[in-house]
Amino acid sequence: MDKLDLNTKAQELRERMGEDVNSPVDIFSLANQIDKLTIVYYPLGENISGMCVANEKVKLIAVNSTMSYGRQRFSLAHEFYHLYFDELSEFNVCSKKLDSTNEAEKNADQFASYYCTGTVFRYEPSGNVVETGFRRLFDAQTIRRI
């Protein structure tokens, strides 16, 4: 899992959807604008946060409607990863747990965190940490204090 690549994909998808990389996004409105995507909000039980079906015939994302608003946002972003970048599977049922051993699920979780937050910290070879998208530079010591 290349975190920088996942961050780049998240930023590029935000831009493709007409959003910049720093602003808060209304992910639900953005999802409703995706051509030929069906979104279902349904109580999926206590262990499933969402699912995605993506192939040439259908694009479907289901989000567990019993989860908190924040968790639904994260789950929808997680399913965006499966919809746009997961080439290994056409059908994904995603657990509520975030500690999956499945590489695609780990990638989708990381992608979702980057997509929802918009910016991330990037380490430079010098040991400095740059918050991408902002004009502020932090050193590693400052980040540890935060």
Side-chain angles (χ1 to χ4, degrees):
M1 168 178 39
D2 181 353
K3 291 182 180 181
L4 188 55
D5 181 52
L6 291 170
N7 178 55
T8 300
K9 285 178 178 174
Q11 289 179 354
E12 288 173 351
L13 184 59
R14 284 173 66 112
E15 290 171 348
R16 192 176 353 157
M17 294 176 144
E19 298 293 328
D20 64 50
V21 297
N22 299 318
S23 301
V25 295
D26 182 351
I27 193 167
F28 301 105
S29 292
L30 293 176
N32 286 326
Q33 296 173 21
I34 298 172
D35 191 40
K36 299 180 183 173
L37 174 65
T38 300
I39 304 171
V40 177
Y41 299 95
Y42 190 79
L44 300 172
E46 292 183 18
N47 297 318
I48 297 173
S49 62
M51 62 176 278
C52 180
V53 179
N55 58 41
E56 287 122 24
K57 295 180 182 178
V58 67
K59 290 194 296 189
L60 172 105
I61 290 177
V63 175
N64 190 336
S65 62
T66 63
M67 302 286 175
S68 70
Y69 176 77
R71 180 55 195 231
Q72 289 181 39
R73 287 185 79 242
F74 181 85
S75 295
L76 188 52
H78 174 108
E79 301 310 332
F80 280 178
Y81 174 83
H82 291 301
L83 181 66
Y84 288 104
F85 304 109
D86 186 355
E87 298 174 358
L88 299 177
S89 179
E90 293 181 353
F91 182 78
N92 294 281
V93 177
C94 304
S95 170
K96 181 180 171 184
K97 294 173 76 174
L98 295 177
D99 60 352
S100 175
T101 57
N102 179 299
E103 193 67 24
E105 290 303 303
K106 286 188 214 179
N107 288 344
D109 287 342
Q110 193 68 53
F111 172 88
S113 68
Y114 294 148
Y115 187 89
C116 289
T117 59
T119 59
V120 298
F121 293 105
R122 181 189 65 198
Y123 289 91
E124 293 189 331
S126 65
N128 288 336
V129 179
V130 178
E131 187 175 4
T132 59
F134 287 98
R135 292 181 217 121
R136 189 160 179 191
L137 177 67
F138 299 98
D139 62 24
Q141 189 175 25
T142 303
I143 297 302
R144 281 188 219 102
R145 282 197 314 260
I146 294 174

